[in-house]
Amino acid sequence: MSHRFRLLTGVPVVPRLFCFLIAGFAAGAGHSVKASEKEVPPLTRFSDCPSCPEMVALPDGALVKRSTGKKGDGKAGKLSRIMVRAFSVSRFEVTVADWAACVAEKACPELRTNKLASEARHPITNVSWLQAQDYVNWLSAKTGKTYRLPTGNEWQYAALGGRLKSFAWQDRCQYANHDDLTYLVQADDKRKARLARITGKCDDGFWRLAPVGSFKANDFGLHDTSGNVWEWTQSCWVHGPEEKPDADKPAIGPGCEKAELRGGSYRVSRSLVGSWQSSGRRPDFSNIDIGFRVARDH
């Protein structure tokens, strides 16, 4: 059964699918291999041009996701194994400097000024799903490669960084910018009272957005896959018992009203940042804690 949460951003979150990465499968047996039995090999990093984001080439892999089951019956849904084909993903969230390069070539629009994200290494925010398409289309035209947003399944696979657990780490304080003690200290009294029950013991020194790469990377070498900013994906946000875990429905098309967001933000409590966390907004929506990272076909 799904349980819905309302975040401080006003974005509803549905932790509807428990998912984890299968590091490998025993030959002919279909049994998962323990994370300790298989290490993530060194991955290639590259940039297709001086102003292009740094990319990480990810290998073929798989996810196992559990659906929510039928609404109201209290039963867990079925497990589905989902294969993910090799692709590349940006090492960091797209930054203010990355976006400025696209604006300079008149391929991306100037965005609303965000006082929380004014430095070159801050993630770009106040960007809609539609505007993110301008950026990936610019990269594709500039490089001759196919850039796009990652699908929801690709995003989860990348965020897990080769581990089996729904977090890519044990100590969230070192890996995610969320509403920790620093955030709580800066909040007003009313907000403090509301947050005191859910804020963890982390104290990362960032009240608001952090420059990309300020926290540790996962085992794929990717930073900020949880917290800092919500990230747009290429997929439709579908939730409820009708959802099929392996159905990565496109965000633009018949029957889709909202594009999928992943990972939580600096305004989200530590219990609500993770690879399974998703939300949905209309493609023309933007906010101070929404950004994106890019994918590229091999």
Side-chain angles (χ1 to χ4, degrees):
M1 180 186 298
S2 291
H3 299 278
R4 297 189 181 186
F5 296 82
R6 177 80 46 184
L7 300 183
L8 300 179
T9 59
V11 180
V13 169
V14 181
R16 64 193 188 279
L17 297 175
F18 171 78
C19 73
F20 54 92
L21 175 69
I22 291 298
F25 294 93
H31 299 298
S32 62
V33 176
K34 293 181 180 179
S36 60
E37 295 175 359
K38 185 172 181 179
E39 296 181 356
V40 176
L43 302 176
T44 301
R45 296 177 184 174
F46 65 92
S47 293
D48 284 322
C49 71
S51 57
C52 294
E54 184 179 8
M55 306 295 289
V56 180
L58 303 186
D60 292 336
L63 290 168
V64 169
K65 297 169 72 174
R66 187 186 295 277
S67 64
T68 55
K70 293 182 179 180
K71 186 175 182 180
D73 65 5
K75 296 180 180 179
K78 295 181 179 180
L79 287 172
S80 296
R81 186 177 71 179
I82 302 157
M83 304 308 296
V84 179
R85 299 184 66 177
F87 70 105
S88 296
V89 66
S90 55
R91 186 181 176 198
F92 306 106
E93 294 159 334
V94 172
T95 66
V96 170
D98 292 333
W99 189 265
C102 183
V103 173
E105 296 191 14
K106 304 186 184 304
C108 291
E110 291 272 8
L111 299 177
R112 286 184 293 133
T113 300
N114 185 352
K115 295 179 181 179
L116 308 183
S118 57
E119 298 178 10
R121 292 290 290 173
H122 273 138
I124 190 67
T125 60
N126 283 330
V127 57
S128 71
W129 186 93
L130 293 173
Q131 291 165 335
Q133 301 302 314
D134 292 334
Y135 184 77
V136 295
N137 290 338
W138 170 69
L139 285 178
S140 296
K142 188 177 185 69
T143 65
K145 308 294 183 180
T146 302
Y147 279 86
R148 54 184 174 77
L149 296 179
T151 68
N153 285 339
E154 287 174 337
W155 192 98
Q156 288 180 281
Y157 169 70
L160 285 167
R163 294 181 179 255
L164 300 178
K165 296 184 178 180
S166 55
F167 282 92
W169 55 82
Q170 295 293 330
D171 183 359
R172 301 176 201 178
C173 301
Q174 298 182 50
Y175 290 83
N177 179 19
H178 55 79
D179 65 350
D180 62 355
L181 294 176
T182 306
Y183 188 92
L184 183 59
V185 168
Q186 299 292 336
D188 57 39
D189 290 340
K190 183 178 179 180
R191 201 176 184 92
K192 283 181 182 179
R194 187 169 63 211
L195 290 173
R197 298 186 302 273
I198 59 176
T199 299
K201 296 181 180 180
C202 301
D203 190 4
D204 58 32
F206 293 102
W207 172 34
R208 294 174 174 171
L209 287 169
V212 298
S214 296
F215 295 81
K216 286 186 177 181
N218 67 16
D219 288 351
F220 280 162
L222 308 179
H223 293 264
D224 306 309
T225 53
S226 289
N228 218 23
V229 294
W230 286 96
E231 298 180 17
W232 290 113
T233 75
Q234 195 70 5
S235 298
C236 182
W237 188 60
V238 183
H239 62 95
E242 73 280 2
E243 180 188 9
K244 295 180 179 180
D246 59 344
D248 233 344
K249 186 177 180 180
I252 293 295
C256 185
E257 297 182 357
K258 296 180 179 181
E260 183 180 59
L261 291 157
R262 285 278 176 183
S265 77
Y266 73 96
R267 305 174 75 186
V268 176
S269 70
R270 68 182 186 133
S271 62
L272 294 177
V273 293
S275 63
W276 73 90
Q277 210 57 262
S278 72
S279 184
R281 285 294 191 179
R282 295 183 63 88
D284 60 354
F285 178 82
S286 62
N287 201 13
I288 59 173
D289 64 344
I290 293 178
F292 67 104
R293 73 180 67 224
V294 299
R296 201 205 82 173
D297 291 339
H298 284 179

